[in-house]
Amino acid sequence: MKKRTFGKWLYPVAIASLVMLSACGGGAQPSGDGQNAAGKDPIKVGAIFSLTGPNSPLGVPEKQAVELLVKEINGAGGVDGRPLEVVFEDDKSDNTEAVKAIKKLVSKEKVVAVLGSSGSGPSLGMAEFAAAEKLPLISMAAADQITNPVRPGIFKTPHTDVHGTKRIFKYLQEKGITKIATLNDSNPYGSGWTTQLQKYAPEYGITIVAEEKYGTKDPSMSSQLTKIKGTDAQALIVAGTNPGPATIVKEAKQLNLGIPIISSHGSANSKFLELVGDAGEGVLMVAGKLLVPDQVDPNDPQAAIIKTFTEGYQAAYNTQPDGFAGYGYDGLNLLVEGLKQAGGDASKLGEALEKVKYVGVTGEFTFSADDHNGLTEDSMIMVEVKDGKFQIVK
């Protein structure tokens, strides 16, 4: 692949305009000015999100957060004096479409880096292509295998399934729960959780007495829940993205399952509350702090950026951002830090990202040559649905 360069940045830019486009539109969608007043070409970045399909509750807020941040960055003078342009693509929640999209961004748009995708399956396919092309990529998906093992230039912003597993198991230890059942999506995200739950259960003195799976598009999981009800499980851990987890919770209530349900951060958003309704009362979930911005300790290192982002997002979209919006926001901020540290040489961007330290809305990132996620389980929290809202479990 040809070496990418963005040249030397010599002059300030005028404030760039933001092209606000429909979150569900297909095809390339640029955000940001094409050139600044001095005639300088922009730094062009690709962003592939799931704007339609099952993962759209993740991809739409990610895109909105990136659009908002592009406006802020360009309004403040761009990246070291050059405007930032983001070209959006919709992978339609499909692995093949994601790979087609990243190939298009490279061949047609000549992007210097890519953000995305929203789901683990699409991200894994994109990461394989990006690694071969030596194209820096920052994923918004949670599967541990996206960045483990480490590959040059491949990074991610969400907590991994490893982080979520450890945080949940710590909670179970505190509650004296030693026997669990699992019900996970059969896609890469859910399968990743299955692997980590199996791996770390012995370390925390936990026995998995039932393991069940479901398909992403399955309309019902009652048969799996009936099997689980016949075991001595003391809690059920669910890993998937909406609508699956909400369906499980509603059916579990209908079946009088009678044990606590703990969901992964794949459904940690307002859509879950909307889908689950009254049946969600008492459901537990592992999540990032952005899920409950008004409950973050003011002395927390993340408090200031969470407050700033939440207020800006709320003003722009008249809704509170969720963790998925935060993944997009952190992803672009991390990329901008890498661009600055690369000193004008796109071929050094992947290496520069390994040195980035950044306090984000998701957590405190410390990238290194050995860690391309840069987070720990300590920045995750446990929440409970109370009166139709998420509340931190103290």
Side-chain angles (χ1 to χ4, degrees):
M1 182 176 180
K2 293 182 179 179
K3 180 179 178 181
R4 301 175 182 83
T5 59
F6 13 99
K8 295 182 179 179
W9 304 320
L10 302 176
Y11 303 103
V13 297
I15 294 177
S17 62
L18 176 67
V19 180
M20 300 298 287
L21 297 163
S22 169
C24 293
Q29 303 171 18
S31 178
D33 277 343
Q35 285 192 328
N36 65 5
K40 291 292 183 180
D41 289 333
I43 299 170
K44 189 179 288 190
V45 172
I48 302 169
F49 297 135
S50 299
L51 306 179
T52 56
N55 285 338
S56 59
L58 289 63
V60 170
E62 288 165 354
K63 179 176 185 282
Q64 290 176 330
V66 169
E67 286 180 320
L68 181 65
L69 185 54
V70 170
K71 183 176 182 179
E72 294 174 0
I73 290 169
N74 286 337
V79 181
D80 286 355
R82 289 188 61 191
L84 180 67
E85 179 182 341
V86 178
V87 182
F88 293 96
E89 290 285 341
D90 177 12
D91 67 19
K92 305 173 186 175
S93 303
D94 181 83
N95 301 1
T96 301
E97 290 294 327
V99 175
K100 286 170 57 178
I102 194 171
K103 288 180 178 179
K104 176 183 175 182
L105 288 171
V106 170
S107 63
K108 182 179 178 181
E109 302 293 341
K110 311 298 182 184
V111 298
V112 300
V114 171
L115 300 173
S117 178
S118 311
S120 295
S123 287
L124 287 166
M126 288 167 53
E128 182 177 351
F129 173 81
E133 289 287 308
K134 295 182 172 56
L135 175 75
L137 178 143
I138 301 179
S139 171
M140 276 78 251
D144 183 60
Q145 59 263 43
I146 294 170
T147 53
N148 184 18
V150 168
R151 288 175 285 182
I154 309 302
F155 300 82
K156 63 191 294 295
T157 56
H159 292 94
T160 68
D161 37 29
V162 174
H163 299 143
T165 292
K166 289 183 176 181
R167 185 64 186 87
I168 290 175
F169 281 170
K170 286 181 180 179
Y171 173 80
L172 294 179
Q173 276 189 326
E174 293 169 1
K175 298 299 179 181
I177 293 175
T178 58
K179 295 181 180 181
I180 65 168
T182 64
L183 179 50
N184 301 338
D185 197 319
S186 58
N187 66 10
Y189 175 78
S191 298
W193 266 86
T194 299
T195 299
Q196 305 312 330
L197 291 167
Q198 293 169 337
K199 179 178 179 180
Y200 289 101
E203 182 180 322
Y204 288 84
I206 291 170
T207 301
I208 301 175
V209 299
E211 291 182 341
E212 297 290 335
K213 296 184 183 297
Y214 66 92
T216 304
K217 297 181 179 180
D218 287 355
S220 173
M221 296 78 170
S222 59
S223 62
Q224 296 96 317
L225 288 167
T226 299
K227 292 178 184 177
I228 290 169
K229 187 176 180 180
T231 72
D232 58 350
Q234 298 168 290
L236 169 63
I237 297 178
V238 176
T241 57
N242 295 314
T247 300
I248 289 168
V249 169
K250 289 190 289 187
E251 292 186 333
K253 185 172 184 179
Q254 292 170 358
L255 291 169
N256 295 315
L257 186 63
I259 58 176
I261 298 177
I262 305 172
S263 180
S264 72
H265 56 321
S267 54
N269 59 15
S270 59
K271 188 67 175 178
F272 173 82
L273 297 177
E274 175 189 327
L275 291 171
V276 78
D278 294 340
E281 193 72 10
V283 170
L284 296 158
M285 189 173 293
V286 66
K289 298 168 189 173
L290 182 60
L291 188 65
V292 286
D294 57 334
Q295 299 175 47
V296 178
D297 187 328
N299 296 317
D300 190 299
Q302 292 177 248
I305 190 168
I306 287 175
K307 183 176 186 293
T308 298
F309 174 56
T310 300
E311 290 177 350
Y313 191 95
Q314 183 105 31
Y317 303 112
N318 196 32
T319 188
Q320 182 176 302
D322 56 26
F324 303 104
Y327 301 154
Y329 183 79
D330 284 338
L332 185 55
N333 269 321
L334 286 161
L335 182 57
V336 168
E337 287 300 312
L339 288 168
K340 291 177 180 178
Q341 292 191 29
D345 187 348
S347 67
K348 296 180 179 179
L349 177 55
E351 182 181 348
L353 281 166
E354 290 185 343
K355 301 172 184 176
V356 169
K357 293 183 179 181
Y358 159 74
V359 178
V361 296
T362 306
E364 298 180 62
F365 292 86
T366 303
F367 285 155
S368 69
D370 300 319
D371 187 352
H372 283 195
N373 182 217
L375 297 170
T376 71
E377 67 270 17
D378 294 335
S379 55
M380 300 195 83
I381 56 174
M382 294 296 298
V383 298
E384 181 179 0
V385 179
K386 289 185 177 181
D387 299 322
K389 299 179 180 179
F390 293 114
Q391 298 288 331
I392 291 181
V393 176
K394 302 294 186 182

